Amino acid sequence: QVQLVESGGGLVQAGGSLRLSCAASGSIASINTMAWYRQAPGKQRDLVATITSAGTTNYADSVKGRFTISRDNAKNTVYLQVNSLKPEDTAAYYCQADIILSGNYRRLIWGRGTQVTVSL
């Protein structure tokens, strides 16, 4: 069974920083695109950033210049460095990965999320 486990969330003051991590484990052959989403209470889940297996990145306009996505393919891990945090960044942050499993099955896997809360 393949799973994604996020970590690194917490409570931080406005202007602060956090580093979120998401590690994939299980019978993984390879991982294509990895992504971070976020969902604030009462709102839809929105895409924050993506990174391909080759390292090409893409960001939502609201986080450009403040957030950086990266990955370590050897560790099957994706990171999200979040800087200059604002109260409107408060949300549960979810990791998603497009995974090729052993046996050549393809699955889109979600993590359970990590909470980021930004105070004034």
Side-chain angles (χ1 to χ4, degrees):
Q1 185 175 355
V2 176
Q3 64 176 354
L4 299 177
V5 178
E6 300 100 332
S7 61
L11 174 64
V12 63
Q13 287 189 326
S17 299
L18 290 170
R19 190 191 194 207
L20 309 184
S21 299
C22 171
S25 62
S27 299
I28 298 169
S30 62
I31 304 178
N32 297 323
T33 297
M34 303 184 82
W36 286 96
Y37 286 74
R38 66 184 181 184
Q39 187 169 20
K43 296 190 177 181
Q44 66 181 19
R45 189 171 296 188
D46 292 326
L47 179 64
V48 174
T50 64
I51 184 167
T52 68
S53 57
T56 300
T57 60
N58 213 343
Y59 297 92
D61 287 342
S62 59
V63 306
K64 281 181 181 176
R66 300 188 298 122
F67 291 11
T68 302
I69 189 171
S70 61
R71 65 190 283 174
D72 184 333
N73 291 330
K75 296 181 178 180
N76 289 333
T77 298
V78 62
Y79 305 96
L80 188 69
Q81 179 68 39
V82 296
N83 298 330
S84 302
L85 282 163
K86 306 174 182 179
E88 51 264 43
D89 294 318
T90 294
Y93 284 70
Y94 296 90
C95 174
Q96 182 200 67
D98 179 8
I99 296 178
I100 307 298
L101 306 176
S102 301
N104 209 32
Y105 298 100
R106 185 175 181 178
R107 295 288 184 270
L108 196 62
I109 306 293
W110 287 92
R112 291 190 171 187
T114 186
Q115 179 68 33
V116 173
T117 303
V118 184
S119 64
L120 288 169

